[in-house]
Amino acid sequence: MNLWTMIVIIVAIGVVKDIIIARNKQDTQKSENSSKNTLHRLKSRIENLETIVLEEDRNRRFAGME
């Protein structure tokens, strides 16, 4: 194996390593964004359910006064 072949192999390994690292970083960012979106949707749903429960409770209290 001559010097130039060794240099090409080393550079190719470095490029492949950088590609793998970039893909892993991109996948991590996608999963974080997905988690944040899911968390936001769940918080919104809980707020809606709390509103419904509070309105039901208030309606029961006023219905009992009649």
Side-chain angles (χ1 to χ4, degrees):
M1 184 182 296
N2 66 24
L3 177 66
W4 293 107
T5 306
M6 183 65 95
I7 291 172
V8 169
I9 290 173
I10 291 171
V11 169
I13 290 172
V15 169
V16 169
K17 178 190 72 125
D18 289 342
I19 290 172
I20 291 172
I21 289 172
R23 282 188 181 173
N24 287 340
K25 188 181 290 185
Q26 187 178 28
D27 289 342
T28 302
Q29 289 174 347
K30 283 182 183 178
S31 67
E32 286 176 1
N33 289 338
S34 176
S35 296
K36 287 180 183 178
N37 187 23
T38 303
L39 183 60
H40 178 69
R41 283 191 354 226
L42 289 173
K43 283 183 178 180
S44 174
R45 185 174 174 108
I46 288 173
E47 288 173 0
N48 290 339
L49 291 172
E50 287 174 344
T51 303
I52 291 170
V53 168
L54 290 174
E55 286 182 16
E56 290 280 330
D57 186 44
R58 185 181 59 190
N59 288 339
R60 285 185 192 149
R61 286 183 188 167
F62 286 123
M65 293 180 144
E66 293 176 358

